[in-house]
Amino acid sequence: MERRKITARSITAMKGREKIAMITAYDYPTAKLADAAGVDGILVGDSLGMVVLGLENTLGVTLTDMLIHVAAVARAKPKALVVADMPFMTYETGPRDALRNAAKLVRAGAEAVKPEGGQEIFDVVEKLVKYGIPVMGHVGLNPQRVLSLGGFRMMGKTEEQAKKVIEDVKALEEAGAFAVVIEFVPASVAKAATESVKIPTICIGAGPYCDGQILVLHDVIGLSERPPSFAKRYADVAAAIRNAVANYVEEVKKGVFPSADHYRD
């Protein structure tokens, strides 16, 4: 039976009924493969800056970068929900700018957007939802704040930080978010946050108690140079690519390729 299209409403309805499995993808072929594998959501993450573009962090990713990759993923026509990260400084300047930039992502093919932050972006989330753009929140570690944090550090370890994570999730629910990503916090904090709201939480490096999980595709398939400690590698695609190209180089050097099967006189 053909899979039904998953929407933001579908994701919200999965809370308490079924675990949500999401993954990142940044282009047409990986989006096709991830969707065929049965993921519920595909995040076109600004993590592409680090795993695709070779940047040190996500701060250098532009809206133009995101539009190109969102459009590529959307062309795969996945049944999974397509969520687009809002890159650095495309929403922090206020609801008006956020609405304008989110609309561009939607026109490119995004079916929801994901800004980073909690209570401080309440008005941004509220505005986007009001005008029909589904919003997935993102609390805990916010990679776009790596400079002020001094690195990719676990959040929620102190009582004050833990309280903020929980209050941020509550604020995002109140603002109208349909789900919230919780990144790199203690599992106990993620559990408390998950139990405090009616919308689903999706963990990345925050333990098993959320309503779902998300990982970066390149971490899962072994293409990342610096995978985080909380990621699990399910395949070594890097080795397969390296071996395939090495075999090609060897055959070219020896005159084995192309053989008669690969050309016409």
Side-chain angles (χ1 to χ4, degrees):
M1 187 173 71
E2 186 179 359
R3 211 161 53 119
R4 295 179 62 180
K5 175 62 183 170
I6 296 175
T7 65
R9 289 174 63 90
S10 305
I11 296 292
T12 301
M14 291 172 74
K15 186 179 179 79
R17 294 173 47 218
E18 179 183 353
K19 287 285 190 177
I20 300 161
M22 292 188 64
I23 202 163
T24 67
Y26 314 102
D27 55 34
Y28 176 88
T30 55
K32 289 279 283 188
L33 292 169
D35 194 56
V39 296
D40 300 306
I42 295 173
L43 172 65
V44 188
D46 59 1
S47 49
L48 72 89
M50 301 171 71
V51 300
V52 176
L53 303 181
L55 301 175
E56 285 295 315
N57 52 53
T58 63
L59 301 183
V61 177
T62 67
L63 183 60
T64 298
D65 293 330
M66 291 300 303
L67 292 172
I68 291 169
H69 289 272
V70 167
V73 167
R75 290 187 196 106
K77 295 181 171 55
K79 295 296 185 182
L81 178 72
V82 177
V83 183
D85 268 346
M86 296 194 71
F88 182 59
M89 286 300 154
T90 59
Y91 57 93
E92 292 93 334
T93 51
R96 186 181 180 88
D97 287 342
L99 186 61
R100 183 185 301 111
N101 292 324
K104 291 178 181 178
L105 290 166
V106 169
R107 291 191 185 103
E111 296 161 332
V113 298
K114 183 172 72 61
E116 293 181 8
Q119 299 164 76
E120 70 276 17
I121 62 164
F122 183 97
D123 56 342
V124 166
V125 175
E126 190 174 48
K127 184 83 164 182
L128 297 180
V129 173
K130 178 180 179 180
Y131 286 95
I133 300 177
V135 175
M136 177 177 283
H138 185 144
V139 305
L141 171 62
N142 292 158
Q144 291 177 11
R145 299 179 190 177
V146 63
L147 297 181
S148 61
L149 293 174
F152 297 104
R153 301 178 182 278
M154 175 176 272
M155 305 301 292
K157 292 192 293 184
T158 67
E159 184 177 345
E160 182 180 357
Q161 287 179 350
K163 182 179 178 181
K164 183 180 187 319
V165 170
I166 296 167
E167 292 305 315
D168 281 345
V169 172
K170 289 180 178 179
L172 290 167
E173 178 183 41
E174 184 181 348
F178 70 90
V180 181
V181 169
I182 302 178
E183 181 168 1
F184 207 25
V185 306
S188 58
V189 176
K191 184 176 187 290
T194 298
E195 293 172 349
S196 73
V197 292
K198 295 180 180 179
I199 58 173
T201 60
I202 300 168
C203 279
I204 178 167
Y209 305 115
C210 287
D211 300 296
Q213 298 289 328
I214 184 167
L215 283 177
V216 170
L217 175 70
H218 290 58
D219 296 339
V220 169
I221 64 175
L223 277 181
S224 295
E225 291 183 336
R226 302 185 302 273
S229 60
F230 54 73
K232 180 178 179 179
R233 190 176 75 179
Y234 287 82
D236 192 355
V237 172
I241 293 173
R242 193 164 50 245
N243 291 338
V245 176
N247 289 337
Y248 161 72
V249 170
E250 182 181 10
E251 290 195 357
V252 169
K253 298 291 187 182
K254 291 180 177 179
V256 176
F257 178 85
S259 66
D261 293 334
H262 303 106
Y263 67 88
R264 295 181 182 179
D265 284 326

